[in-house]
Structure formats: structure tokens, C-alpha cells
Amino acid sequence: MAERIKVLLSEEEVDARIKAIGEQISRDYAGRQVHLVCVLKGGSFFMCELAKRITVPVSLDFMSVSSYGSNTKSSGVVRIVKDLDEPLKDKDVIVVEDIVDSGRTLSYLLELLGQRGPKSMRLCTLLDKPERRVVEVKVDYTGFEIPDEFVVGYGLDYDQRYRNLPYIGVVELDGE
Ligand code: IMP
Ligand code: MG
């Protein structure tokens, strides 16, 4: 079945919002250094754009996790596929994610990373689907709250495709 992508958030809207979050973070962390932790692969496009907009000193690290259980419903218990290169001890950490959905993955991950002794830890997500929340997660910086629709682009995939779209879109199947 052919797929079409309907634009939900244009490239201009996404870029403008990321610039604003970067400015907000720069104000909030004035005089400090921020350590951005990217959750691969989805968070990578957002983190790169965000990092370019932050004017305080920035360091970056990456981790990759995979969730146990079925593919459609995340159990929240994650296995670390690639761990961070650097310790988090005494760092001002911002975890950068593409989307918070049920919240299961992130609540588990934040708990895990919190045990490594960061000086502070905040969460920044490009997208949030609050209607879908099952586990409460405190989000400090949100790009956009979106309705309960499956979205792609800007790092988000549908079966590993569409991550490279410079906008956020909804997948529509022809014949629907
Ligand atoms: P959860 O918050 O534990 O349910 O899982 C969030 C993860 O599910 C995200 O990091 C994405 O990888 C994936 N995900 C959730 N909603 C979407 C979507 O609309 N499009 C693409 N991936 C999604
Ligand atoms: Mg993700």
C-alpha cells in the first residue's frame, strides 16, 4: 500500500521552535556548561540542531537503548545497546529525546542515569503526546505537544524510514 506523508509541523516551524528552546537553555544555564545526552537514533537530528543554538559551553554524548517486549508497546525496561562514553558525575545534564509517548522508556532511563550522580538532570523533548502518557515523566523543555498520531521525520522513523525528513509528518496509507 502506498504511503503519503502529511505535513504536521513544517521545517520553518520546527527550526524556529528549536531556536527558541536553545535560547531558553542558554539563559537557564548562563555561566555553566551543559552536557547533552542524546538517545539514539531518534534524538540525533534534534540534538544537533539544538546544540547549534545553545550559546553556553556544550559537551555531547550518545547512548542507544532497545526496549524489551513487543515492538508496538514499549515495556519501559530498556537494555543499553551503547552506553555513554563519559561519566555523568557532577555534570549539568540535559537528556534530549525525539518524543515522549507512554513515558515508560524515559522514566526508566532517567532513573538509571540519575544513579550516576549528575549535578542536575533535565529532560528536553522535541515532541510530546500527553494523551498517551502511562507513566508520569517531568518534561522540562518541550518543542511541541501533538495529538495521538503516529509521526515521522526529524529523527522519527516508520520502520526505519523517514528519519531524514526536515519536517514532522503523519503517515497516511492510501486507501484509508
Ligand atoms: P515510550 O514513551 O516509552 O512509549 O516510547 C517512546 C519511543 O517510542 C520513542 O522514543 C520513539 O522511538 C517511539 N515512538 C513513540 N511515538 C512515536 C511516533 O509517533 N513516531 C515514531 N516513533 C514513536
Ligand atoms: Mg526515541
Side-chain angles (χ1 to χ4, degrees):
M1 213 185 300
E3 297 155 15
R4 277 173 292 122
I5 309 295
K6 183 182 80 186
V7 177
L8 181 68
L9 297 162
S10 71
E11 183 171 0
E12 291 74 23
E13 284 175 280
V14 175
D15 287 350
R17 186 69 192 118
I18 294 176
K19 183 164 184 271
I21 298 174
E23 287 165 358
Q24 180 70 50
I25 289 173
S26 303
R27 282 193 295 276
D28 293 351
Y29 289 82
R32 291 188 277 166
Q33 173 166 337
V34 285
H35 188 65
L36 302 182
V37 166
C38 172
V39 185
L40 293 168
K41 303 168 184 157
S44 58
F45 290 73
F46 176 40
M47 182 167 96
C48 291
E49 291 306 310
L50 181 66
K52 289 195 280 183
R53 303 298 188 178
I54 296 175
T55 53
V56 298
V58 169
S59 53
L60 310 171
D61 208 347
F62 298 85
M63 72 186 299
S64 180
V65 300
S66 95
S67 56
Y68 290 107
S70 75
N71 287 333
T72 48
K73 190 165 166 288
S74 78
S75 61
V77 180
V78 297
R79 184 169 60 90
I80 297 180
V81 176
K82 181 219 173 295
D83 205 342
L84 299 170
D85 291 334
E86 308 285 332
L88 298 182
K89 184 118 187 67
D90 299 328
K91 295 195 172 107
D92 287 310
V93 173
I94 303 180
V95 175
V96 180
E97 254 287 22
D98 49 1
I99 191 163
V100 185
D101 188 37
S102 72
R104 286 192 175 100
T105 311
L106 269 175
S107 77
Y108 183 86
L109 199 63
L110 291 175
E111 163 94 33
L112 197 87
L113 298 179
Q115 290 166 3
R116 299 184 182 183
K119 196 199 303 173
S120 68
M121 193 167 61
R122 286 186 173 177
L123 172 62
C124 177
T125 184
L126 179 59
L127 303 174
D128 187 358
K129 287 185 194 170
E131 283 170 51
R132 297 261 304 168
R133 199 73 86 256
V134 176
V135 181
E136 202 185 319
V137 184
K138 184 174 172 292
V139 184
D140 301 285
Y141 303 99
T142 305
F144 302 91
E145 289 194 354
I146 60 166
D148 179 12
E149 287 188 282
F150 194 82
V151 290
V152 294
Y154 234 96
L156 290 148
D157 73 300
Y158 173 59
D159 208 9
Q160 295 303 326
R161 287 181 298 138
Y162 303 121
R163 291 190 197 274
N164 59 314
L165 296 180
Y167 55 87
I168 302 290
V170 177
V171 183
E172 289 181 334
L173 300 177
D174 274 343
E176 275 192 354

